Amino acid sequence: MLYKTDRIKWCLSISLGLSAFIFLNSFRFANTSNLLEMQRSQTDSIDVKVDSILKIMTLEEKVGQMNQYNGFWDVTGPSPKDGNAAKKYEDIKSGRVGSMLTVRGVDQVREVQKLVVEESRLGIPLLIGFDVIHGYKTLSPIPLAEAASWDIEAIKKSAAVAASEAAASGINWTFAPMVDISRDPRWGRVMEGAGEDPYLGSKIARARVEGFQGKNLNAVNTIAATAKHFAAYGFAEAGKEYNKADIGTVTLHNMVLPPFKAANQAGVSTFMTGFNEFNGIPVTGSEYLLRDLLKNKWGFQGFVISDWASIEEMVTHGYARDKADAANKAVKAGVDMDMESSSFLDELIGLIQAGAVREELIDDAVRRILKVKFLLGLFDDPYKYCDVERELQTIGSEENRKAVLDMAKKSIVLLKNENNLLPLKKNGQKIAVIGPLADDSNSVLGSWRIASEDSSGVSIVEGLKQYKGNELIFKKGADLITNKPTFINELEFNTTDKSGFEEALSAAKAADVVIMVLGEHGFQSGEGRSRTQLDLPGVQQDLMEEVFKVNKNCVLVLNNGRPLAIEWADKHIPSIVEAWHLGTETGNAVAQVLYGDYNPSGKLPMTFPRNVAQIPIYYNHRNTGRPVDPQPGENMVFWSHYSDIENAPLFPFGYGLSYTSFNYSNLNVEKESYTVNEEVQISVELSNTGDYNGKEVVQLYIRDLFAKIVRPVRELKGFQLVKLKKGESKIIKFSLTSEELGFYDQDGNFTVEPGEFEIFVGTDSNASLKTRFLLKE
């Protein structure tokens, strides 16, 4: 292919000089690879190449790079002829679009890239964005479930599998990972994050970025990642979606920001703003967060994208007068790309011409966007992600299914196992499987799985049927929902129909063991799915209680996307398994755990409350001035507590059982005191005292006993996933540096103060084994 006219060639050569002209032609034409090699030898860096392009871009083309459109027509079909779709179509052909989202599949992506590369003046390729949250078509567990594995390498591999399938489908950019810390399970998007702890969240943020982006962003099986939502979106007031976040700067710097900082240090390509306001300003317009902190103090080199129409929504917030004012405030704050609101495309040129916005801000934004496109290799080959054969070979491959099965098993948490009811015997038993989610192959996929096929998951009944030694009887008992669920609709729950109870109770009476599969539908958590109650929806609680009356040998398998309040079940049901929404291989993973072919090792990444009134409840709280629990029999009310329920959660952060048992002993700190520049050396002995080989997440917490700002009662500062054969013991060692011992003050300054520290090591955040050391100047 050649440029349309010799005149454009001449203009380019005059504008850029011969070397830059050769470079621009090299990415413009597929048959000029030798010229591209010449250009590579003539330029020292991507920055030089980017600057060469900027010199010949019109202001309209620059602003176009800052505009992202959602897919709006069948790309392989006829072009739209009128209305807004026709305008968008012309914008793409005219170079007024820098990115598209939700366009997927090799055929679709190739056609939309072709529109830009072959029709627009400069042919700058598009970024193709998509919400690849916990897999593409082959789904891993929801992110909160993956966090329960505490297995950083497995989480990294899970993201790499997702990236490989997305890239094979033409996508080069994901709007993940969500690294928001949240303490409120009423907020539906807790399913998309790593839970309540900034240390664990930071490790997982880094792992997911590295998994998506790999060691080389130019590789055909990696995609650009996005750290979202910057910042404090997870602290939505009352757990209500899109609500404000009303927190102090100590919480911001010590709880909210660490995972974002870890993602930046891992080289994440983009940041996304949130829908929330923070400190009275919508974060999409926060110059403090985006420009002062992220771009200047942290030195972030990628670009910032708004969330869907969040620029224009600043008008609704009451922060911007109109769309032009919103565009003005967003670009000055540091937003580089506008998702779907067209605010930049419609308003920036006029703002620049009026002198309200400096063109240097536009150049900076476009420079950042073009750099990511270079790093992805799109200028070398705009169609590099459009290989039909690779798409067929990669998506749904046996290797990917094995990987997500492994991740699913590692994500399961054993919450209770009285009388060793689990693992199940493999022969000679009659097992009743009851519950509306037991044979559901759609709900198990979870939320945020828009590229997957409906009902493509392995249901729990299907997984259990792989074991042939027992008689298996399934009775649903009741429906959970009464409408067809989709990603965008509200679910309608069955709250009255118990006509299936009788069959379920009959099956339960005749069974040796009952497995009840209850919880939330997969679309009941996620964006826009805030809840005021965290119980079992519909008639499930009644079903569970009725079944328990006729057979006490009950195993409760929970399917859910957030912590639930299951105090009745904890008091009555002997065995409880937290199985989340585990994705494509859910049923196989659950069956292998229930039958003991895999010994569960998961630990909770979020605290489970006793009831919703305890929320927010989290382990790393501060002490207050009246924290002391009165002695038994002491009639005193003036301390920090509820009068009708104990303070303790139902299940604490870090909690999770195994089919074997572990003993902790001999906790030692190498010295009684250290200077602030020394590493604190800690060791503990871990023994497998049970009857099974197993894995244990050894967790280390600290408490800074006195500081210039009040510190939490405990903070996770280390963990190790340790394998032990039955009867085996190991010495586990930890090192603490100033990074773990320090904290951020009210102004965001990191400090390490001398003083006394407590160390706790154990199986969860209630670890009782402790010691102390002194930190000196």
Side-chain angles (χ1 to χ4, degrees), residues 70 107 129 147 207 221 237 248 278 294 298 326 331 370 388 430 437 464 473 503 513 583 620 623 656 658 668 684 741:
N70 182 37
D107 292 342
N221 62 343
E237 190 174 72
F278 168 71
L294 177 62
W298 291 4
V331 76
L370 293 179
V388 173
K430 182 179 287 187
L437 296 173
L464 291 169
I473 303 170
E503 276 193 339
V513 178
N620 51 358
N623 209 31
S658 168
N668 288 300
V684 67
L741 298 176

Side-chain angles (χ1 to χ4, degrees), residues 282-353:
V283 294
T284 301
S286 174
E287 189 168 348
Y288 167 70
L289 287 174
L290 302 180
R291 198 167 294 283
D292 296 347
L293 184 65
L294 177 62
K295 291 184 173 180
N296 293 340
K297 188 173 182 178
W298 291 4
F300 173 59
Q301 297 298 302
F303 71 86
V304 175
I305 182 170
S306 74
D307 208 333
W308 185 289
S310 66
I311 294 177
E312 190 172 10
E313 286 180 11
M314 289 197 292
V315 178
T316 308
H317 274 283
Y319 182 65
R321 289 186 305 274
D322 50 29
K323 192 173 178 180
D325 190 31
N328 186 355
K329 288 178 174 175
V331 76
K332 287 180 177 177
V335 177
D336 303 304
M337 184 177 284
D338 171 15
M339 182 189 289
E340 187 56 24
S341 82
S342 301
S343 298
F344 284 173
L345 189 66
D346 294 344
E347 306 295 345
L348 281 185
I349 292 176
L351 289 167
I352 293 165
Q353 291 172 343

Side-chain angles (χ1 to χ4, degrees), residues 414 417 599-601 656-662 692-696:
L414 180 63
N417 195 27
N599 189 354
S601 57
L657 304 176
S658 168
Y659 292 148
T660 194
S661 56
F662 296 98
Y692 297 85
N693 300 336
K695 292 187 294 185
E696 169 74 342

